[in-house]
Amino acid sequence: MEVYKNVSDLRAGILLKEDVFVNTKYPLIRKDTELSPEHLEVLQAFSVKRVKVEERVSKKVMPKDEQIPHLDVDAVLDHIPVNMYILRKQYNETVREYKKEFIAWRAGKQPDITKIRELIIPLLEKFISNKRMLTMLNELSDPEDYIYHHSIAVGILSAAISNQMGNSKGENLQIGLAGTLADCGMAKINPEIIEKTAFLTKEEYNEVKKHTLFSVKMIQSSPLLRQEMKMAILQHHERLDGSGYPRGDKLDTISTYAQILAVADVFHAMTSERLYRSKHSPYKVIEMIKEEEFGKFDIKVVEALHKLIGNLSIGMRVKLTSGEIGEVMFLHRDTPLRPIVKILYSGSTLDLTNNRSIAIEKIIE
């Protein structure tokens, strides 16, 4: 008998009787698939609540180490939702391993740069080759473990920005490693300050500002990071107008590598949910970096981030911060992040240049 059942009530061996779509062109899992433990994990990962199944259990349950049947191979390679699931698992595993290292640094252990390099490089390479997935980084972050997510995400974004700017693979991986280690000095800051769920006092903020010096001290002796990358770590909170720290460096005294780390750091911080504030849309953040923070960041680096994250085209379907779904109808030359959008439900048009309280939240594939 075919029935709809809650995913939470399913068992391995049940036969799926209807294709499962998750805002996708191709099925996430196809009809007549015998559900395995991995299938159940996929359904839960994509927040699927109910599916149509045949209420019987097959005698054969596929072993965990066998390939999942009925998952389209092309979908696994090219299809964003399934790719996202696979990459999410690798990302979360990397964050967990980084957290273990961070806790060891807090206890006094020196960073094992070789281990961090082996941990982060495979992830950097995957994100560089799958640029569309960079917009999911803020969705992967967890406010409870933000500091660990932030280090991994800054490494990924730094490598991707460097690649977008035309740097060599070696430079991309080096800046990605530097981005991952830029905040290792946070392990030397009082945990009560780092884990505080409210805005910091001036004294607490001054304490946090010491982390760049701690970071450089912790990685200074390693031959696996080039000297210019170590300087980038020191300068990743410096700003071109001299308003940054720890030294108040300005303009040409700040390296391009440091600016890449700075833009990656600010972008991820502003797009991620924190214990004391909600996250901003990636498109809104790029706009804020360009406008409100004008003069602080190298425009070439900001433009590289824009091309990676914020490139829109006519016909794209987007979700707005208002919750509405729309289609991009027209791109303004001077404000490309604020297009005219046709709202699909009502058919009305919305010019985001005249509605500053609304922004694009994400692209819908």
Side-chain angles (χ1 to χ4, degrees), residues 287-354:
E287 187 177 59
M288 291 166 70
I289 292 174
K290 281 188 166 187
E291 297 176 4
E292 297 175 23
E293 301 295 315
F294 181 77
K296 294 179 183 290
F297 302 100
D298 186 332
I299 192 62
K300 297 190 299 297
V301 178
V302 177
E303 284 300 328
L305 175 68
H306 184 168
K307 289 178 181 177
L308 278 170
I309 305 290
N311 259 8
L312 301 171
S313 59
I314 293 172
M316 271 186 173
R317 288 199 173 188
V318 295
K319 181 180 180 181
L320 304 179
T321 53
S322 62
E324 296 169 300
I325 305 297
E327 183 178 307
V328 176
M329 301 295 291
F330 179 79
L331 294 168
H332 299 285
R333 186 184 65 179
D334 297 329
T335 54
L337 293 171
R338 293 201 158 271
I340 295 176
V341 177
K342 180 180 180 181
I343 306 302
L344 298 186
Y345 179 74
S346 64
S348 61
T349 57
L350 184 65
D351 189 343
L352 297 184
T353 59
N354 299 325

Side-chain angles (χ1 to χ4, degrees), residues 44-103:
Q44 291 171 349
F46 286 99
S47 301
V48 176
K49 303 300 183 187
R50 291 170 63 83
V51 293
K52 190 176 185 179
V53 296
E54 185 174 308
E55 203 170 42
R56 68 167 180 82
V57 177
S58 166
K59 292 180 181 179
K60 177 188 175 185
V61 176
M62 187 185 72
K64 238 181 172 256
D65 59 348
E66 289 185 18
Q67 184 177 357
I68 302 173
H70 298 282
L71 276 179
D72 195 304
V73 174
D74 290 333
V76 171
L77 295 176
D78 303 317
H79 183 211
I80 285 181
V82 173
N83 239 349
M84 185 182 292
Y85 169 72
I86 295 169
L87 200 52
R88 178 184 290 157
K89 286 191 71 173
Q90 184 177 353
Y91 169 90
N92 285 333
E93 287 166 6
T94 304
V95 170
R96 281 194 293 271
E97 290 302 313
Y98 176 85
K99 181 178 180 178
K100 292 177 185 176
E101 295 301 305
F102 188 93
I103 292 171

Side-chain angles (χ1 to χ4, degrees), residues 156-172:
I156 291 167
L157 286 165
S158 298
I161 292 171
S162 176
N163 183 67
Q164 182 66 37
M165 294 178 71
N167 292 328
S168 68
K169 181 178 179 180
E171 285 177 292
N172 299 338

Side-chain angles (χ1 to χ4, degrees), residues 261-309:
L261 294 188
V263 169
D265 175 83
V266 168
F267 177 77
H268 184 258
M270 294 178 71
T271 56
S272 299
E273 185 178 352
R274 309 287 288 275
L275 291 172
Y276 53 85
R277 66 158 173 78
S278 58
K279 63 185 178 182
H280 294 289
S281 151
Y283 301 91
K284 177 66 175 176
V285 170
I286 293 174
E287 187 177 59
M288 291 166 70
I289 292 174
K290 281 188 166 187
E291 297 176 4
E292 297 175 23
E293 301 295 315
F294 181 77
K296 294 179 183 290
F297 302 100
D298 186 332
I299 192 62
K300 297 190 299 297
V301 178
V302 177
E303 284 300 328
L305 175 68
H306 184 168
K307 289 178 181 177
L308 278 170
I309 305 290

